[in-house]
Amino acid sequence: MLSVQDRAIVKSTVPLLESGGEALITHFYRMMLSEYPEVRPLFNQAHQASGDQPRALANGVLMYARHIDQLDQLGDLVAKIINKHVALQILPEHYPIVGACLLRAISEVLGEEIATPEVMSAWGAAYGQLADILIGAEGAIYDQKEQAVGGWRGAREFIVAAKVEESAEIISFYFEPADKGPILAAEPGQYIGMKLILDGEEIRRNYSLSALANKGQYRISVKREPGGRASNHLHDQLHVGASIQLFPPSGEFTLTASEKPLVLISGGVGITPTLAMLEAALETERPVHFIHCARNGSVHAFRDWVDGLAARHPQLKRFYCYADDDGVSPAADKVGLLSLEQLGEWLPEQRDVDAYFLGPKGFMGAIKRHLKALGVPEKQSRYEFFGPASALE
């Protein structure tokens, strides 16, 4: 446990982190990724280049410093970090590398007048405390996943059983274990980690499971991203019969059991985790409003599948909104951006619902504001980022 003095010193650095935390963390990443190539596979270089990852970690460090004496207030943030770490297989031996580089960055960016021996000692103790918390929690999850039916630890070999084009941009991959054994159950909304070797370099990625894992296989549905190393490799090079290394399913953005009406709102490839949620909800009599937004019909994946479900399940109402009409695809229910008024018409009349939404950041920001304005309780409005988390305004 940190001493009272250490906590006070860490809290005293909050103003510095507020004004210069992103620069400090950018320096930290540059140093660590250049000097310790063994940790490079754990970090998405596109997120580094965009600045999303440094911003996310800078915010995490700031929140930790602010609440150093009230760590219980960081429950949701810590849970997200733990699940991301488990999906990517962050291990205890990685923490000393991160800690050493973080302390060096503090010293080099803040300078010796600010980064005094007392400050460095306090932050060293604070990092050690956080590392112990994360290592302990992650170790417990690794053990749990290994001991569960169909579970495993680390990477496991799977085979591509099927590859299906879902739209002009999205392809689904079905994976079955090479050892023919059972697979670990996954909660609707979770994602799975994978290890790829591209041009001799290892990279790791997480992809949402786009179907319930109840048939001895996992399905992911991947959008081809311009310049995306992993997505382009999967689209172009990963074929039926190929082998791939997967990590156990993880993630805390999962469907909560409830009798309240369920509202699923997605934009673009954000549809993927909502599909598993939709499947699970329809196994009950729970009312579901499924709302999907896409640029146009050519990039709208799974429309026929959702339409088929709606025809068989009267409790499912589905609505589609396209930014523009391509003149070829089946018509949407609305053309243009999803407005407050239109969303209000598509929601259940009673706003006591559970709402889950995913998509591009700007889209999610608008949906969050719309749901609040329409009377959906904020605690029942949930979202997740594909990639590093950030604030939604």
Side-chain angles (χ1 to χ4, degrees):
M1 180 178 292
L2 291 182
S3 69
V4 173
Q5 181 180 10
D6 283 341
R7 290 199 298 271
I9 291 173
V10 169
K11 291 200 77 168
S12 74
T13 64
V14 165
L16 297 172
L17 295 173
E18 289 174 335
S19 61
E22 191 172 331
L24 188 155
I25 296 301
T26 298
H27 181 68
F28 153 78
Y29 272 125
R30 187 180 302 118
M31 175 202 317
M32 182 176 68
L33 296 178
S34 64
E35 297 183 14
Y36 296 92
E38 62 267 36
V39 302
R40 283 181 61 87
L42 306 176
F43 298 93
N44 187 320
Q45 298 307 305
H47 295 157
Q48 291 293 321
S50 69
D52 289 344
Q53 186 66 65
R55 278 190 293 273
L57 181 56
N59 180 67
V61 171
L62 174 60
M63 292 299 101
Y64 181 56
R66 278 181 179 166
H67 301 286
I68 194 70
D69 49 3
Q70 295 175 306
L71 295 182
D72 58 308
Q73 295 189 22
L74 298 177
D76 290 345
L77 175 61
V78 171
K80 289 181 183 296
I81 292 171
I82 289 169
N83 276 280
K84 293 290 186 183
H85 283 188
V86 168
L88 292 170
Q89 298 290 290
I90 304 295
L91 300 174
E93 55 262 35
H94 297 133
Y95 282 90
I97 296 173
V98 173
C101 291
L102 179 62
L103 292 177
R104 270 184 59 193
I106 291 173
S107 176
E108 293 174 6
V109 172
L110 299 184
E112 61 183 15
E113 291 187 5
I114 297 175
T116 62
E118 292 78 15
V119 168
M120 298 303 297
S121 176
W123 263 106
Y127 177 79
Q129 172 183 263
L130 179 60
D132 287 344
I133 292 171
L134 296 178
I135 290 171
E138 290 157 13
I141 295 176
Y142 289 138
D143 289 342
Q144 180 186 47
K145 291 183 182 295
E146 182 179 28
Q147 295 164 11
V149 175
W152 71 96
R153 181 186 290 262
R156 181 180 177 186
E157 184 183 6
F158 280 72
I159 303 299
V160 180
K163 181 177 180 180
V164 179
E165 184 175 326
E166 308 289 2
S167 76
E169 297 179 332
I170 295 176
I171 288 179
S172 288
F173 298 87
Y174 294 75
F175 302 122
E176 296 179 352
D179 59 17
K180 308 296 184 182
I183 61 173
L184 184 66
E187 295 292 323
Q190 287 191 312
Y191 47 82
I192 199 160
M194 66 171 56
K195 179 168 70 173
L196 301 170
I197 305 297
L198 305 183
D199 300 323
E201 178 186 2
E202 178 186 335
I203 66 171
R204 300 185 186 187
R205 293 291 187 269
N206 295 331
Y207 288 102
S208 293
L209 293 168
S210 60
L212 292 178
N214 57 7
K215 298 177 182 177
Q217 59 184 201
Y218 296 122
R219 185 182 77 181
I220 64 171
S221 302
V222 181
K223 177 186 175 184
R224 183 192 292 273
E225 298 287 354
R229 293 186 69 194
S231 66
N232 281 280
H233 171 79
L234 295 176
H235 274 239
D236 297 335
Q237 303 297 328
L238 191 68
H239 303 299
V240 173
S243 171
I244 190 166
Q245 300 291 316
L246 299 182
F247 303 124
S250 189
E252 82 293 337
F253 181 74
T254 56
L255 184 64
T256 301
S258 170
E259 295 183 357
K260 299 180 188 298
L262 174 64
V263 177
L264 300 171
I265 308 173
S266 56
V269 75
I271 194 174
T272 51
T274 69
L275 299 173
M277 292 180 174
L278 176 59
E279 277 190 274
L282 292 180
E283 291 180 351
T284 69
E285 294 302 313
R286 188 176 186 181
V288 182
H289 286 227
F290 186 90
I291 301 168
H292 181 63
C293 302
R295 294 199 313 277
N296 55 56
S298 71
V299 295
H300 180 177
F302 300 101
R303 174 168 179 159
D304 290 345
W305 182 77
V306 173
D307 287 347
L309 290 178
R312 299 192 301 274
H313 297 274
Q315 77 268 34
L316 169 60
K317 300 182 184 300
R318 95 294 177 272
F319 306 95
Y320 306 135
C321 180
Y322 294 165
D324 59 73
D325 185 353
D326 62 11
V328 177
S329 306
D333 299 289
K334 171 71 175 179
V335 175
L337 298 180
L338 181 57
S339 65
L340 172 69
E341 294 74 20
Q342 186 62 72
L343 181 58
E345 292 181 15
W346 288 348
L347 289 181
E349 290 186 15
Q350 297 298 321
R351 306 305 200 209
D352 185 21
V353 302
D354 288 328
Y356 296 77
F357 58 96
L358 302 96
K361 181 179 178 181
F363 170 84
M364 292 201 297
I367 296 301
K368 183 180 180 182
R369 293 191 297 272
H370 290 348
L371 290 173
K372 182 178 180 180
L374 291 167
V376 175
E378 284 194 76
K379 66 179 180 180
Q380 293 164 214
S381 179
R382 305 176 181 91
Y383 60 90
E384 183 172 66
F385 287 90
F386 286 165
S390 61
L392 286 185
E393 301 299 333

